[in-house]
């Protein structure tokens, strides 16, 4: 393939170790809250918290809940599984306390920064950008906290645009910011449908970062057909990105 002029990345679970921070954060929070929350099955609690994030965060992306509302709904539904009813104010406070533990657990995946450095060496003049589904302020805080702010020429957040991945418009918008045709850009993300298939359908080279345990949805036959038709590239670590782009 022709070497790309622009490499665009997803944030959560591609560069930023979101799921690990969520799991660590919720267990720390449950230990601090104590009572029924700390006495239950810890693995089941992390699985439930993760599932509720998927449910309510996608409600936010779809416009059914605002950003604060999806957090409140997640806390309220989690507490309800322990037969504990939270008012809106209590749910907000509960989530805010959890968020302190989650935020303290923020980190990059170990392969993130070396990937940037190797790509810059391999492709002189390559430009980097980021496309993320989420609130621009919240995602921006993550980017700054983990030391990525200077790595990107442009950051595109769905919350600032009104449409989210896999909508082709978000990928086209990012390429327009770089003033390059979609064919000159690569997009790397951990979700097959949202990231790889979405970007490839928009005309970019879609790369699926299939980190073990990170992909939230199983592959269905239609995904396999679309992945083959659209020429999706699959890697299991960012270390494999530079070599696959050289082929």
């Amino acid at each position: 393939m022709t070497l790309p002029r622009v490499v665009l990345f997803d944030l959560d679970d591609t560069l930023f170790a979101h799921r690990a921070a969520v799991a660590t954060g919720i267990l720390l929070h449950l230990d601090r809250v104590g009572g029924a929350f700390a006495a239950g099955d810890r693995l089941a609690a992390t699985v439930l918290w993760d599932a509720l994030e998927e449910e309510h965060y996608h409600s936010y992306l779809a416009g059914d809940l605002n950003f604060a509302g999806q957090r409140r709904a997640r806390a309220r539904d989690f507490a309800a599984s322990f037969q504990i009813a939270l008012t809106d104010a209590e749910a907000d406070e509960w989530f805010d306390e959890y968020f302190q533990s989650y935020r303290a657990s923020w980190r990059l995946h170990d392969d993130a920064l070396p990937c940037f450095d190797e790509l810059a060496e391999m492709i002189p003049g390559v430009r980097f950008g980021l496309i993320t589904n989420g609130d621009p302020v919240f995602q921006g805080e993550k980017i700054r906290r983990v030391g990525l702010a200077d790595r990107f020429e442009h950051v595109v957040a769905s919350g600032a645009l009104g449409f989210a991945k896999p909508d082709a418009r978000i990928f086209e918008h990012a390429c327009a910011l770089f003033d390059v045709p979609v064919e000159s850009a690569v997009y790397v993300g951990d979700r097959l449908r949202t990231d790889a298939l979405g970007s490839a359908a928009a005309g970019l080279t879609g790369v699926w970062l299939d980190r073990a345990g990170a992909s939230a949805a199983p592959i269905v036959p239609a995904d396999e057909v679309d992945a083959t038709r659209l020429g999706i590239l699959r890697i299991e670590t960012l270390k494999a990105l530079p070599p696959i782009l050289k082929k």
Side-chain angles (χ1 to χ4, degrees):
M1 63 177 293
T2 303
L3 290 175
R5 296 165 59 187
V6 172
V7 179
L8 302 165
F9 291 91
D10 169 56
L11 181 60
D12 292 325
D13 294 312
T14 297
L15 302 171
F16 176 84
H18 170 67
R19 291 186 187 277
V22 167
T24 300
I26 190 61
L27 292 179
L28 288 172
H29 178 55
L30 296 183
D31 288 341
R32 183 169 61 245
V33 173
F37 288 114
D41 183 324
R42 293 170 71 81
L43 177 59
T46 60
V47 170
L48 175 60
W49 187 243
D50 193 59
L52 289 172
E53 179 186 42
E54 285 290 311
E55 175 186 350
H56 294 305
Y57 198 74
H58 280 85
S59 293
Y60 156 68
L61 293 176
D64 298 327
L65 291 172
N66 62 24
F67 191 66
Q70 59 88 20
R71 290 179 164 189
R72 180 182 305 132
R74 198 188 330 170
R76 189 173 55 235
D77 288 356
F78 185 84
S81 73
F82 290 84
Q83 288 73 55
I84 297 172
L86 299 178
T87 65
D88 284 353
E90 289 169 339
D92 289 343
E93 182 180 2
W94 198 97
F95 190 95
D96 287 345
E97 291 175 356
Y98 150 75
F99 188 77
Q100 294 176 25
S101 297
Y102 165 64
R103 193 173 185 272
S105 304
W106 285 359
R107 65 175 180 82
L108 287 175
H109 281 289
D110 293 340
D111 55 5
L113 295 183
C115 179
F116 282 104
D117 294 338
E118 188 170 351
L119 286 172
E121 183 176 349
M122 184 183 86
I123 312 173
V126 68
R127 302 160 72 190
F128 297 119
L130 186 137
I131 306 175
T132 179
N133 278 352
D135 177 78
V137 175
F138 179 46
Q139 298 297 74
E141 182 186 5
K142 290 181 187 174
I143 291 166
R144 290 188 295 274
R145 276 285 306 276
V146 297
L148 285 177
D150 293 337
R151 295 282 180 166
F152 301 120
E153 189 171 332
H154 296 290
V155 172
V156 176
S158 66
L161 295 179
F163 44 83
K165 300 178 294 182
D167 192 314
R169 291 176 294 174
I170 198 166
F171 301 105
E172 294 165 351
H173 175 77
C175 291
L177 290 176
F178 283 93
D179 194 24
V180 299
V182 291
E183 297 83 3
S184 296
V186 166
Y187 187 74
V188 186
D190 70 293
R191 291 176 181 259
L192 176 58
R193 298 182 193 181
T194 305
D195 294 321
L197 291 174
S199 60
L204 294 76
T205 297
V207 180
W208 179 31
L209 176 59
D210 186 16
R211 292 192 187 276
S215 299
I219 301 175
V220 298
D223 290 334
E224 294 179 347
V225 171
D226 286 345
T228 299
R229 178 176 61 83
L230 293 169
I232 300 298
L233 303 177
R234 177 183 172 274
I235 57 177
E236 295 182 355
T237 170
L238 288 175
K239 184 178 181 180
L241 182 62
I244 206 171
L245 294 183
K246 284 199 298 187
K247 292 182 178 180

